[in-house]
C-alpha cells in the first residue's frame, strides 16, 4: 500500500502509512511530485512540509519517499549558479518553464552533461579516509575545486581516473572499503543539509575577514570563521551592507542567501556581480559566488530550508581548505518560516508565536560557522553573517535577542543614522565585536600605532556623546571652546571616517592600508585641533576640516601616499 | 499565469458547521483540491464565493468571501468549481469598472478572454529585469529625494485625513518617462492605471474614477462590501495588471488603497481559523501574505511592459511600527511617509523626508539618467535636514538665543526646504531639473563649508544657484 494524503493545510500536508517514512526523508507529494520533507511522525500519520505551493492538491494523492534525507549536491558547477531554497537551479527552471516558477519544477542541481578537467591527486593503493582530496578541477579561473572523498567513506583507492575531462556521471575513482565492498567515487557527492559536515579540529579565529568597510574593520571587526549579526529596521541598510560584504570581503568563496527578501535585490546581484571585479584576483565577482534565492513570495517551507542549503554548501568549500563567507538576508524571515510551519503543526508557541526551539535552531546554525582543520588537514573557515529584521525596529524581540546570544560581532543599525542618510548606519556606540582584541595584533602589523589611534577614536566618540547630552539641555552656549572642538572632531571622525557610501567609486571598498592611513591622518589632525588655541569658530576653516572629510571619497585605496601627505598640511 | 484547468464541477449540499466566515462540511469526495474555488448558493438563490481553506480526511473547510450570515445548515448548494479562483482578462478590460472580485458593476457585458489564477505564481528572480527607468512624477519630494522608477513598488504611508488620495491621483496624472534624459527608456507611452479600492469609502472611489483621466481599470471593494472579498481584490487587480503588462506590453501603474484595511480583513479570517497570532493579533504569516501582493511588481527580461505599484496605507494611530506599515516597509522598495505635522502647517504634499526612502533611486538617477548632481544633492539635503531637525529639537528646550550662527542657518534651511522645496501646488508639475535647482537654492541657506556631502567640483558647478536669492529664484520659476 502506498501512502496517501489525508490532510492539506497550506505548506503542511499529512499522509497515512507513517511506517514507510523516516524523519527528515525527502518525499514527492501528489501526482505532480511536489517536493517535501518529513517533519513529524505519529504511529499512523506522517506530517510533511512541502516546498512548493499546494494549491490543487487533493486528498488521496500518493506520497512517495526517496529513502534519503533532504540533501544538496556538492561538486563542480556550484559556483556562479543561483539556486532556490532546496537547490533547484533557477536559471534552468526559467529555461524550462519561463518567467514564473510553477509547481513541480525539477532540474538537477549540478549539470550532468558538462565536462570538467580533472587532475588526480592520489596514487592507486593509497589508504584514504573521508574528506580526503582525490583530485582537482579548475572550476572558474579564480577557484580550483578540490574533489573530496565523501566524509564517512574510507578505504583503499583501487582505481583513479587519468587526467582528462569527465562529467558528473563518470566515476573518477573506486574505493575498496574495509568490508571488501567497492564504491565508485564521482566528481560530486550528496550531503544531508541538516547535518553538519565533520571536521578534524576547530581552530580559534584570529585572522580578520577584511570587509573593506571602515566601521566594521576598524571598530567592530569580524574574524575569518566568526559570526556576526546585523539587526535593523527596514531601510537601515542590512541588504546594502550584506551586498558590500559579498562584493569586497577577502573570502575565497561567497555564499549569498536571499532568504525571504525582495526579488529585485537578487536580480541586482545577478546583474552586478558578473560586471564587478574582485580587487584581489581581478576576476568577475560572480566566479567566487553561489547564490541561494528564496524570495518572500516563494514558498515558505523552502525558505526555512534555504539557510541549511547555504551553510552546507559553505562547509563543503571550507572542507577544501577555503575561506568561505556566508551572508543570510534575513534570518528573521527564516525564523518566521519556522513559526508558520510550527503553527500549522499546532505546536505550543513560546514567545510571539515562535516555537520553543527557535533559540536552539539559531544556535545550531551559527555553530556551523568556524575556522577549522579539515579532514584533509587543510585550514578553512566559514564566516556567518546574518541580517535580522526586528518587527517594529524593536531590538528586544525574540529573534534579535536569541541571535545576539549566539554571535560574537553585533552591528546594530540605527534608524536615525539612516534617516540622515549616514551609511553604514551601524551605531558606533551600541555595536560591539568580541574579536576586536584578537585582531589588534594583525592591524599593528599593517600600521604600527594603529591600536592607539583606534582607542583615541573610540574615546572621542564617547566623550562627544556625553557632551551632546549636555548640549541637549543647555545649548551649545554652555560648552567651553575645547568642548566645542571635541564635537567638531567627532563630526570629522563620523563624516570623514565612519561614513562610507556604497556608491562612492573610490570609497565603496577601503583596503586595510587606506583605513589605517585615514585613521592616522584624522587622529593627527584632531590632536592638533584640540591642542591648538584657535577659537572653535575659526578652527573648522583653519584646519581645513571639510577637506579632511572629503578625503575618503577623493583618494582611493591605491593612493595611500597622498592620504599620508596630509600629515604635512598646515 | 497558467490558465487553470477546467473540470466538471462537484456539487455538494451538506453543511456540518458554520463559524465566522468558515463553513465545514463532510465530503467524502477525493476530487476536491486545496485552494479550489467554491460557489455557495443559498436558499434565496444568491451566489456567494469561497475557497477551500483546509482539507482533512473527509472534512472540507471553506472560507466564504461574502460571509456566512444567513446561511443555514443543510439547505445550501455548494459547487466545487475544480479550479482556483480566477479572473477573465483581455485587452477589453481597460475602461471597465469591476467589483472586488473582478465582476462587472458598470452595466457592461461580462468579461471575455483568458481565465487566470488570481494568485499568480512567483516570478523567477532570474527572469526579472532590474528596474531603472526614472519616472518623473512632477513632485519634488519624490523626484528629487525619493525617485520612483518603472517597476518599483513604492507605498505611501499616511494617516486618515491626510491627502494621500490627492497625491496618488497627482502621480497618476503627471507621471512620465523622460526619453530626452536618455537612460534605457526610449518610449514615453502613457500609463494604464489599475485601481484597486480595498474597503474604502464610496466618495474616495468616485474621486479616483473622476480625476484619473486616461486608460483605467477599477476594482472596487467599498467599505460596505464583504470583508473577506478584500483578500481577493488586490490579487484580482494584480492579475489583470500582469496580463496588461506582460502579455500586452503596457506600462501599468497599480494603486492599491487601503492596505491597512486589507490587513485587518486578513486578521479577521485568521482569527476565525484559529491561527496563532503574533503582533497585535495579526497572523504570523502576514509578512509572507503581503509579499505575495507587493512582489507582483517589476519588469521581466525581454518583455516590454512593467508594473509599478503605489500601495496606500493608513498608519493606525500614526504609528509606523504598527505591523502593517512595518511589514510593508520590509517588503516594498521604499516608502513615502506623510506627516500630520506638515499637513497642519498646510504643506502639500506633507512628505516627511527622514523616514521616506526610495531604494531603487541609486540605480535610476545620476549621469545619463537624470543629472549627475542628483544623488549627492539628495544625500546632502537629507543630511542637512536631519541636522535642522536636531537643531529644532534643541531650540524647543534651550530657545533660539543660545544657538550658534551655523545652527541658525540650519533652522532657516529646514523651513525653506519644507516651504519651497517639499511643498508645491496640486497642479504644479515640476521637471526634475527644476526640482534639483530649487534644492541647490535652498542649500544656499547654509555656509559652504557645511556642504561636506558634495564634492568641491559639484559645488563649483552649481555655485551660482547657491548664491541666488531664494524667493527671487522661485518667483522666476513660476513664470
Ligand atoms: N553603505 C551604504 N551606502 C549608501 N547608501 C546606503 C548604504 N546602506 C544603505 N544605503 C541606502 O539605504 C537604503 C536601504 O538599505 P537596505 O535596502 O540595505 O535596507 P535593509 O536594512 O536591507 O531594509 P529591509 O529590512 O527592508 O530589507 C538603500 O536603498 C540605500 O539607498
Ligand atoms: Mg534588506
Amino acid at each position: 500500500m502506498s501512502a496517501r494524503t489525508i490532510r492539506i493545510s497550506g505548506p503542511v500536508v499529512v499522509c497515512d502509512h507513517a511506517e514507510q517514512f523516516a524523519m527528515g526523508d525527502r518525499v514527492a507529494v501528489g501526482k505532480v511530485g511536489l517536493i517535501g520533507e518529513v517533519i513529524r511522525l505519529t504511529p499512523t500519520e506522517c506530517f510533511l512540509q512541502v516546498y512548493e505551493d499546494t494549491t490543487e492538491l487533493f486528498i488521496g494523492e500518493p506520497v512517495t519517499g526517496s529513502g534519503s534525507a533532504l540533501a544538496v549536491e556538492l561538486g563542480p558547477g556550484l559556483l556562479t549558479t543561483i539556486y532556490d531554497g532546496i537547490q533547484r537551479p533557477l536559471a534552468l527552471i526559467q529555461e524550462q518553464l519561463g518567467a514564473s516558477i510553477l509547481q513541480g519544477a525539477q532540474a538537477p542541481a549540478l549539470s550532468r552533461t558538462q565536462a570538467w578537467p580533472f587532475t588526480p591527486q592520489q596514487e592507486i593503493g593509497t589508504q584514504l579516509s573521508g574528506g580526503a582530496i582525490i583530485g582537482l578541477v579548475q572550476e572558474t579561473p579564480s577557484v580550483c575545486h578540490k574533489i573530496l572523498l565523501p566524509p564517512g567513506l574510507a578505504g583503499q583507492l583501487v582505481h583513479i581516473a587519468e587526467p582528462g575531462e569527465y562529467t558528473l556521471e563518470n566515476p573518477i575513482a573506486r574505493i575498496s572499503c574495509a568490508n571488501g565492498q567497492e564504491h565508485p567515487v564521482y566528481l560530486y557527492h550528496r550531503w544531508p543539509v541538516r547535518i553538519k559536515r565533520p571536521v578534524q579540529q576547530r581552530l580559534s579565529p584570529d585572522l580578520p575577514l577584511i570587509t573593506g568597510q571602515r566601521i566594521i574593520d576598524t571598530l567592530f571587526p569580524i574574524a575569518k570563521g566568526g559570526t556576526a549579526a546585523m539587526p535593523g529596521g527596514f531601510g537601515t541598510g542590512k541588504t546594502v551592507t550584506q551586498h558590500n560584504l559579498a562584493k569586497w570581503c577577502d573570502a575565497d568563496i561567497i555564499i549569498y542567501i536571499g532568504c525571504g527578501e525582495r526579488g529585485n535585490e537578487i536580480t541586482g546581484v545577478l546583474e552586478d556581480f558578473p560586471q564587478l571585479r574582485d580587487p584581489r584576483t581581478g576576476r568577475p565577482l560572480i566566479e567566487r559566488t553561489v547564490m541561494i534565492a528564496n524570495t518572500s513570495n516563494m514558498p515558505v517551507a523552502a525558505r526555512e530550508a534555504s539557510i541549511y542549503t547555504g551553510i552546507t554548501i559553505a562547509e563543503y568549500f571550507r572542507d577544501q581548505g577555503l575561506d568561505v563567507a556566508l551572508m543570510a538576508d534575513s534570518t528573521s524571515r527564516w525564523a518566521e518560516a519556522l513559526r508558520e510551519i510550527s503553527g500549522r503543526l499546532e505546536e505550543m508557541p513560546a514567545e510571539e508565536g515562535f516555537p520553543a526551539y527557535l533559540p536552539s535552531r539559531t544556535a545550531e546554525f551559527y555553530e556551523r560557522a568556524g575556522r577549522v582543520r579539515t579532514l584533509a588537514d587543510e585550514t578553512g573557515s566559514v564566516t556567518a553573517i546574518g541580517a535580522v529584521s526586528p518587527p517594529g525596529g524593536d531590538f528586544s524581540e525574540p529573534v534579535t535577542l536569541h541571535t545576539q546570544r549566539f554571535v560574537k560581532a553585533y552591528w546594530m543599525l540605527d534608524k536615525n543614522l539612516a534617516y540622515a542618510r549616514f551609511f553604514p548606519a551601524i551605531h558606533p556606540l551600541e555595536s560591539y565585536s568580541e574579536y576586536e582584541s584578537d585582531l589588534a595584533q594583525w592591524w599593528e602589523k599593517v600600521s604600527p600605532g594603529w591600536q592607539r589611534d583606534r582607542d583615541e577614536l573610540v574615546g572621542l566618540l564617547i566623550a562627544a556623546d556625553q557632551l551632546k547630552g549636555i548640549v541637549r539641555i543647555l545649548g551649545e552656549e554652555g560648552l567651553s571652546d575645547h568642548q566645542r572642538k571635541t564635537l567638531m572632531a567627532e563630526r570629522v571622525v563620523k563624516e570623514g571616517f565612519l561614513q562610507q557610501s556604497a556608491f562612492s567609486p573610490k570609497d565603496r571598498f577601503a583596503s586595510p592600508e587606506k583605513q589605517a592611513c585615514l585613521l592616522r591622518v584624522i587622529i593627527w589632525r584632531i590632536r592638533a585641533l584640540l591642542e591648538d588655541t584657535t577659537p572653535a569658530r575659526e578652527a573648522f576653516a583653519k584646519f581645513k576640516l571639510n577637506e579632511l572629510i572629503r578625503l575618503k571619497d577623493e583618494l582611493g585605496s591605491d593612493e595611500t601616499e597622498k592620504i599620508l601627505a596630509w600629515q604635512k598640511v598646515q | 499565469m497558467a490558465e487553470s484547468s477546467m473540470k466538471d464541477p462537484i456539487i455538494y449540499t451538506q453543511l456540518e458547521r458554520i463559524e465566522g466566515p468558515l463553513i465545514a462540511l463532510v465530503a467524502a469526495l477525493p476530487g476536491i483540491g486545496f485552494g479550489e474555488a467554491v460557489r455557495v448558493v443559498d436558499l434565496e438563490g444568491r451566489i456567494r464565493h469561497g475557497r477551500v481553506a483546509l482539507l482533512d480526511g473527509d472534512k472540507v473547510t471553506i472560507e466564504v468571501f461574502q460571509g456566512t450570515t444567513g446561511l443555514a445548515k443543510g439547505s445550501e448548494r455548494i459547487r466545487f468549481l475544480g479550479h482556483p479562483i480566477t479572473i477573465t482578462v483581455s485587452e477589453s478590460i481597460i475602461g471597465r469598472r469591476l467589483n472586488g472580485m473582478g465582476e462587472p458593476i458598470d452595466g457592461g457585458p461580462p468579461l471575455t478572454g483568458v481565465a487566470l489564477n488570481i494568485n499568480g505564481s512567483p516570478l523567477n528572480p532570474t527572469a526579472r529585469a532590474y528596474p531603472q527607468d526614472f519616472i518623473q512624477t512632477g513632485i519634488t519630494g519624490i523626484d528629487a529625494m525619493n525617485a520612483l522608477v518603472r517597476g518599483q513598488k513604492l507605498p505611501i504611508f499616511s494617516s486618515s485625513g491626510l491627502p494621500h488620495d490627492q497625491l496618488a491621483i497627482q502621480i497618476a496624472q503627471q507621471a512620465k518617462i523622460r526619453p530626452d534624459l536618455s537612460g534605457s527608456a526610449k518610449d514615453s507611452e502613457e500609463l494604464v492605471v489599475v485601481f484597486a479600492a480595498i474597503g474604502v469609502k464610496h466618495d474616495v472611489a468616485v474621486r479616483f474614477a473622476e480625476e484619473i483621466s486616461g486608460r483605467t481599470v477599477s476594482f472596487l471593494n467599498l467599505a460596505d462590501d464583504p470583508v473577506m472579498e478584500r483578500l481577493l481584490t488586490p490579487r484580482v487587480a494584480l492579475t489583470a495588471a500582469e496580463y496588461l503588462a506582460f502579455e500586452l506590453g503596457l506600462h501599468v501603474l497599480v494603486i492599491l488603497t487601503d492596505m491597512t484595511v486589507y490587513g485587518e480583513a486578513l486578521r479577521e479570517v485568521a482569527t476565525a481559523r484559529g491561527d496563532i497570532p503574533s503582533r497585535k493579533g495579526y497572523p504570523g504569516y502576514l509578512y509572507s501574505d503581503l509579499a505575495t501582493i507587493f512582489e507582483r511588481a517589476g519588469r521581466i527580461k525581454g518583455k516590454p511592459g512593467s508594473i509599478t505599484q503605489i500601495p496606500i496605507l493608513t498608519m493606525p494611530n500614526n504609528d509606523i511600527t504598527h505591523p502593517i506599515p512595518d511589514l510593508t516597509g520590509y517588503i516594498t522598495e521604499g516608502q513615502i511617509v506623510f506627516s500630520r505635522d506638515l499637513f497642519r502647517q498646510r504643506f502639500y504634499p506633507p512628505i516627511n523626508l527622514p523616514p521616506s526612502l526610495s531604494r531603487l533611486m541609486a540605480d535610476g538617477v545620476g549621469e545619463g539618467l537624470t543629472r549627475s548632481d542628483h544623488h549627492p544633492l539628495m544625500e546632502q539635503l537629507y543630511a542637512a535636514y536631519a541636522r535642522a531637525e536636531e537643531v529644532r529639537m534643541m531650540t524647543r528646550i534651550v530657545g533660539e538665543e543660545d544657538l550658534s550662527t551655523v545652527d541658525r542657518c540650519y533652522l532657516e534651511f529646514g523651513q525653506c526646504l519644507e516651504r519651497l522645496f517639499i511643498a508645491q501646488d496640486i497642479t504644479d508639475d515640476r521637471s526634475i531639473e527644476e526640482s534639483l535647482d530649487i534644492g541647490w537654492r535652498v542649500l544656499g541657506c547654509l555656509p559652504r563649508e557645511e556642504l561636506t556631502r558634495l564634492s568641491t567640483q559639484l559645488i563649483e558647478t552649481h555655485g551660482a544657484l547657491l548664491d541666488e536669492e531664494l524667493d527671487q529664484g522661485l518667483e522666476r520659476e513660476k513664470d
Side-chain angles (χ1 to χ4, degrees):
Chain A
M1 264 306 277
S2 73
R4 306 261 155 199
T5 54
I6 55 174
R7 183 182 153 95
I8 302 162
S9 165
V12 172
V13 171
V14 183
C15 68
D16 56 9
H17 286 284
E19 73 285 354
Q20 297 178 0
F21 302 95
M23 269 304 264
D25 270 2
R26 177 184 158 124
V27 295
V29 180
K31 288 184 286 285
V32 279
L34 304 179
I35 300 167
E37 182 185 4
V38 177
I39 52 172
R40 180 198 278 173
L41 286 169
T42 72
T44 52
E45 296 182 337
C46 171
F47 288 65
L48 315 164
Q49 68 176 358
V50 178
Y51 295 121
E52 300 180 63
D53 182 17
T54 54
T55 303
E56 291 190 273
L57 191 64
F58 300 145
I59 296 293
E61 289 207 56
V63 177
T64 43
S66 64
S68 60
L70 183 72
V72 285
E73 292 185 351
L74 303 167
L78 284 169
L79 293 172
T80 75
T81 309
I82 170 165
Y83 294 108
D84 77 351
I86 50 171
Q87 215 200 7
R88 294 185 297 183
L90 287 171
L92 259 183
I93 289 188
Q94 188 196 342
E95 266 172 42
Q96 291 173 6
L97 301 175
S100 302
I101 303 173
L102 304 176
Q103 284 173 318
Q106 290 204 18
L110 299 174
S111 165
R112 296 297 190 271
T113 49
Q114 181 166 5
W116 298 98
F118 172 76
T119 320
Q121 294 282 300
Q122 301 282 357
E123 304 280 315
I124 291 181
T126 322
Q127 201 67 34
L128 293 176
S129 56
I133 296 162
I134 50 181
L136 303 176
V137 165
Q138 192 70 41
E139 185 176 352
T140 67
S142 52
V143 178
C144 178
H145 200 118
K146 299 184 176 124
I147 305 303
L148 305 178
L149 194 62
L153 193 60
Q156 195 177 26
L157 190 65
V158 290
H159 165 78
I160 185 144
E162 294 292 315
E165 304 249 321
Y166 300 90
T167 71
L168 266 52
E169 308 248 302
N170 311 127
I172 43 121
R174 265 198 327 277
I175 290 283
S176 168
C177 297
N179 61 11
Q181 263 186 347
E182 279 198 9
H183 280 277
V185 178
Y186 297 87
L187 288 174
Y188 77 110
H189 64 267
R190 301 175 63 84
W191 189 266
V193 295
R194 298 191 196 271
I195 296 177
K196 65 170 185 229
R197 290 173 62 90
V199 299
Q200 200 186 115
Q201 191 193 350
R202 288 179 74 96
L203 307 172
S204 70
D206 48 15
L207 284 173
L209 180 80
I210 295 298
T211 67
Q213 311 302 305
R214 282 185 295 273
I215 188 159
I216 295 179
D217 292 345
T218 303
L219 283 190
F220 312 114
I222 180 162
K224 289 202 168 86
T227 50
M230 198 186 327
F234 60 82
T236 51
K238 297 180 292 296
T239 305
V240 173
T241 308
Q242 294 273 41
H243 284 187
N244 270 342
L245 300 189
K247 284 173 189 166
W248 312 121
C249 82
D250 67 343
D252 302 311
I253 303 288
I254 301 295
I255 313 287
Y256 191 90
I257 312 174
C259 175
E261 293 287 311
R262 303 173 183 84
N264 277 332
E265 289 172 351
I266 304 294
T267 311
V269 174
L270 289 176
E271 291 192 0
D272 271 4
F273 277 39
Q275 315 292 334
L276 292 170
R277 302 269 153 176
D278 182 340
R280 279 157 295 269
T281 60
R283 300 294 313 172
L285 283 173
I286 195 79
E287 289 183 359
R288 63 169 192 174
T289 309
V290 184
M291 299 241 330
I292 294 161
N294 215 93
T295 55
S296 56
N297 56 342
M298 284 158 76
V300 60
R303 189 197 299 171
E304 191 273 333
S306 66
I307 292 279
Y308 299 99
T309 298
I311 195 116
T312 309
I313 295 174
E315 287 174 338
Y316 170 68
F317 281 106
R318 171 205 68 191
D319 291 348
Q320 299 171 38
L322 296 170
D323 290 316
V324 185
L326 172 142
M327 288 95 203
D329 183 19
S330 155
T331 59
S332 293
R333 307 298 166 222
W334 163 79
E336 283 164 15
L338 269 191
R339 173 168 70 185
E340 185 169 343
I341 303 292
S342 162
R344 302 257 183 190
L345 291 172
E346 294 173 4
E347 289 172 340
M348 184 71 119
E351 307 149 273
E352 312 245 350
F354 286 106
Y357 45 79
L358 173 68
S360 58
R361 295 274 170 94
T362 310
E364 265 167 38
F365 168 71
Y366 284 106
E367 274 305 299
R368 288 175 76 169
R371 189 154 168 267
V372 305
R373 179 152 326 281
T374 69
L375 296 179
D377 219 20
E378 310 247 339
T379 326
S381 68
V382 173
T383 312
I385 301 159
V388 181
S389 319
D394 167 14
F395 295 102
S396 66
E397 58 90 38
V399 183
T400 312
L401 285 184
H402 293 308
T403 306
Q404 190 178 6
R405 284 163 54 206
F406 304 120
V407 298
K408 294 180 87 175
Y410 188 73
W411 304 324
M412 198 186 102
L413 299 180
D414 182 43
K415 191 179 68 181
N416 292 321
L417 290 176
Y419 282 1
R421 300 303 188 264
F422 185 105
F423 291 112
I426 297 175
H427 196 294
L429 297 171
E430 303 279 336
S431 307
Y432 60 82
S433 164
E434 293 177 31
Y435 300 109
E436 179 205 313
S437 50
D438 293 341
L439 304 177
Q441 272 185 342
W442 186 92
W443 278 100
E444 278 293 321
K445 274 185 223 136
V446 174
S447 164
W450 177 87
Q451 176 81 55
R452 204 189 41 186
D453 291 347
R454 180 191 176 280
D455 289 348
E456 231 171 289
L457 183 146
V458 174
L460 183 74
L461 289 174
I462 294 172
D465 187 57
Q466 288 167 349
L467 286 178
K468 280 187 176 164
I470 301 176
V471 172
R472 248 171 260 131
I473 304 167
L474 299 177
E476 274 205 31
E477 290 299 301
L479 296 187
S480 72
D481 225 39
H482 186 269
Q483 287 172 323
R484 280 183 211 205
K485 283 197 270 180
T486 306
L487 288 183
M488 201 178 280
E490 184 222 27
R491 175 169 166 208
V492 174
V493 162
K494 281 193 170 160
E495 292 183 18
F497 189 79
L498 299 183
Q499 189 193 329
Q500 191 176 1
S501 170
F503 309 115
S504 167
K506 288 199 166 176
D507 200 39
R508 54 192 185 179
F509 166 81
S511 67
E513 292 74 20
K514 175 174 174 184
Q515 299 188 32
C517 291
L518 201 57
L519 178 65
R520 160 102 354 133
V521 166
I522 286 178
I523 292 293
W524 261 336
R525 269 271 121 158
I526 285 175
R527 269 185 219 146
L529 167 77
L530 294 176
E531 282 161 14
D532 197 83
T533 51
T534 318
R537 226 168 326 110
E538 292 152 32
F540 201 80
K542 175 175 174 197
F543 286 86
K544 298 200 175 88
L545 296 183
N546 50 357
E547 284 175 50
L548 190 61
I549 287 173
R550 289 201 187 92
L551 217 52
K552 63 184 197 307
D553 289 313
E554 281 166 6
L555 297 173
S557 290
D558 50 354
E559 296 168 293
T560 48
E561 296 296 310
K562 288 193 196 155
I563 297 178
L564 282 181
W566 255 75
Q567 286 171 51
K568 297 193 192 73
V569 174
Q570 285 311 303
Chain B
M1 286 221 278
E3 262 175 76
S4 56
S5 57
M6 285 291 190
K7 294 182 297 189
D8 283 338
I10 301 166
I11 303 189
Y12 195 78
T13 59
Q14 244 279 253
L15 289 187
E16 183 171 81
R17 203 156 49 88
I18 305 181
E19 199 178 325
L22 305 178
I23 61 182
L25 52 106
V26 177
L29 294 166
I32 298 173
F34 182 77
E36 183 168 333
V38 180
R39 208 168 275 172
V40 181
V41 186
D42 64 20
L43 283 178
E44 282 113 68
R46 276 185 318 194
I47 293 172
R48 303 180 200 219
H49 301 270
R51 166 169 65 192
V52 174
L54 177 70
L55 285 169
D56 189 2
D58 59 359
K59 278 206 213 57
V60 184
T61 305
I62 298 168
E63 45 193 39
V64 183
F65 297 114
Q66 287 78 14
T68 51
T69 317
L71 287 184
K73 267 177 70 178
S75 51
E76 280 69 23
R77 277 185 301 138
I78 293 170
R79 286 163 66 102
F80 291 93
L81 301 187
H83 59 74
I85 299 173
T86 58
I87 174 174
T88 307
V89 287
S90 66
E91 188 160 10
S92 65
I93 201 169
I94 298 175
R96 299 297 304 267
R97 193 150 42 86
L98 310 154
N99 70 8
M101 299 193 60
E103 297 162 334
I105 48 170
D106 52 3
L111 298 178
T112 54
V114 283
L116 301 176
N117 180 347
I118 64 159
N119 286 323
S121 27
L123 253 189
N124 192 327
T126 58
R128 284 183 184 268
Y130 197 75
Q132 47 193 12
D133 302 332
F134 172 74
I135 299 178
Q136 179 180 299
T137 66
I139 294 156
T140 303
I142 298 178
D143 294 351
M145 301 298 275
N146 298 288
L148 176 69
V149 299
R150 256 184 194 169
Q152 183 171 13
K153 38 191 183 290
L154 188 65
I156 301 176
F157 286 11
S158 185
S159 290
S160 33
L162 302 189
H164 41 264
D165 296 330
Q166 178 67 53
L167 185 67
I169 290 169
Q170 197 179 355
I171 294 173
Q173 296 289 46
Q174 297 181 172
K176 55 175 109 24
I177 291 286
R178 291 272 309 271
D180 58 316
L181 293 173
S182 155
S184 61
K186 292 283 170 267
D187 52 317
S188 55
E189 299 151 35
E190 174 197 10
L191 286 169
V192 177
V193 176
V194 170
F195 173 66
I198 307 158
V200 302
K201 287 196 230 78
H202 188 73
D203 54 318
V204 173
V206 169
R207 179 156 183 218
F208 272 96
E210 282 174 356
E211 295 192 24
I212 299 182
S213 58
R215 305 201 289 170
T216 308
V217 194
S218 321
F219 294 86
L220 308 178
N221 168 288
L222 301 180
D224 53 358
D225 282 335
V227 170
M228 292 274 301
E229 212 178 272
R230 294 177 188 155
L231 302 184
L232 305 183
T233 309
R235 298 188 162 83
V236 174
L238 285 163
T239 307
E242 283 170 351
Y243 178 83
L244 297 174
F246 303 131
E247 299 299 321
L248 304 183
L250 301 171
H251 293 293
V252 185
L253 176 71
V254 181
I255 299 174
L256 304 168
T257 183
D258 173 340
M259 287 306 290
T260 302
V261 178
Y262 171 87
E264 284 161 355
L266 187 71
R267 175 168 66 178
E268 203 172 318
V269 182
T271 313
R273 275 195 207 143
D275 293 337
I276 296 168
S278 61
R279 282 176 71 221
K280 296 218 157 114
Y282 289 91
Y285 51 79
L286 179 60
Y287 173 84
S288 303
D289 186 277
L290 288 174
T292 60
I293 295 172
F294 296 140
E295 277 290 308
R296 291 171 80 175
R299 291 170 52 214
I300 297 180
K301 272 185 209 146
K303 299 203 181 186
S306 66
I307 298 182
T308 308
Q309 270 192 34
I310 303 200
I312 298 174
L313 57 86
T314 46
M315 298 181 282
N317 206 10
N318 234 337
D319 177 9
I320 199 173
T321 69
H322 180 280
I324 310 250
D326 186 51
L327 295 181
T328 300
Y330 273 122
I331 301 164
T332 52
E333 284 141 354
Q335 63 278 335
I336 303 295
V337 184
F338 272 10
S339 143
R340 193 171 287 285
D341 222 37
L342 290 178
F343 178 68
R344 276 200 207 101
Q345 299 173 56
R346 309 200 177 276
F347 288 133
Y348 171 86
I351 297 177
N352 187 13
L353 282 183
S356 299
L357 169 71
S358 164
R359 294 156 194 269
L360 298 183
M361 177 166 181
D363 296 305
V365 305
E367 185 83 64
L369 297 162
T370 55
R371 228 166 69 175
S372 62
D373 57 326
H374 195 160
H375 201 269
L377 177 66
M378 177 274 283
E379 291 198 331
Q380 177 65 70
L381 287 167
Y382 262 106
Y385 190 56
R387 175 84 188 124
E389 293 266 86
E390 247 176 65
V391 176
R392 264 185 205 167
M393 288 281 287
M394 213 161 74
T395 316
R396 262 175 234 148
I397 304 166
V398 300
E400 267 194 52
E401 302 76 57
D402 282 350
L403 290 185
S404 63
T405 338
V406 176
D407 283 350
R408 261 176 245 261
C409 294
Y410 272 104
L411 272 190
E412 190 201 334
F413 163 81
Q415 275 156 9
C416 290
L417 189 86
E418 287 163 359
R419 194 162 55 83
L420 304 171
F421 180 77
I422 296 297
Q424 66 188 84
D425 202 76
I426 54 169
T427 53
D428 197 358
D429 187 358
R430 292 182 186 158
S431 73
I432 180 62
E433 293 87 346
E434 277 174 73
S435 288
L436 295 177
D437 287 354
I438 302 174
W440 280 101
R441 289 198 196 101
V442 172
L443 270 186
C445 295
L446 300 174
R448 298 242 174 141
E449 62 191 35
E450 288 295 306
L451 308 184
T452 47
R453 290 292 189 98
L454 296 165
S455 69
T456 28
Q457 193 205 338
L458 271 181
I459 293 182
E460 261 162 45
T461 333
H462 297 270
L465 287 170
L466 286 172
D467 294 334
E468 229 164 85
E469 196 63 35
L470 253 177
D471 285 307
Q472 189 192 327
L474 290 165
E475 281 315 311
R476 204 189 52 210
E477 216 124 72
K478 286 254 159 63
D479 300 338

